[in-house]
Amino acid sequence: PVAVPSVIGQSYDSAAAQLQSAGFTVGRVDVDSDRPAGQVVDQSPPGNSTASNGSSVTLSVSKGPTTVT
């Protein structure tokens, strides 16, 4: 097993690159959040856990704050 880096709070591109270099494939789910658009707000499996090399890590990525007009 390989340690899963915690990438919450990073931009999606940075997080995906870090996970891919660690040997994981990356999935993306866009979610509603008050965090800036493109920022990773959750991941599965969580950071600091272990997973098989080559397994998938799913990142939840903020769509950005909803603007009230």
Side-chain angles (χ1 to χ4, degrees), residues 46-59:
N48 304 316
S49 63
T50 56
S52 303
N53 193 18
S55 63
S56 178
V57 176
T58 301
L59 301 178

Side-chain angles (χ1 to χ4, degrees), residues 2-63:
V2 183
V4 179
S6 176
V7 296
I8 292 172
Q10 296 185 30
S11 70
Y12 172 77
D13 290 340
S14 171
Q18 186 177 344
L19 289 165
Q20 288 165 349
S21 69
F24 298 104
T25 59
V26 178
R28 174 175 176 153
V29 180
D30 291 307
V31 296
D32 292 316
S33 169
D34 58 3
R35 306 302 302 156
Q39 189 176 81
V40 177
V41 295
D42 197 17
Q43 67 183 84
S44 176
N48 304 316
S49 63
T50 56
S52 303
N53 193 18
S55 63
S56 178
V57 176
T58 301
L59 301 178
S60 298
V61 181
S62 175
K63 294 178 187 173

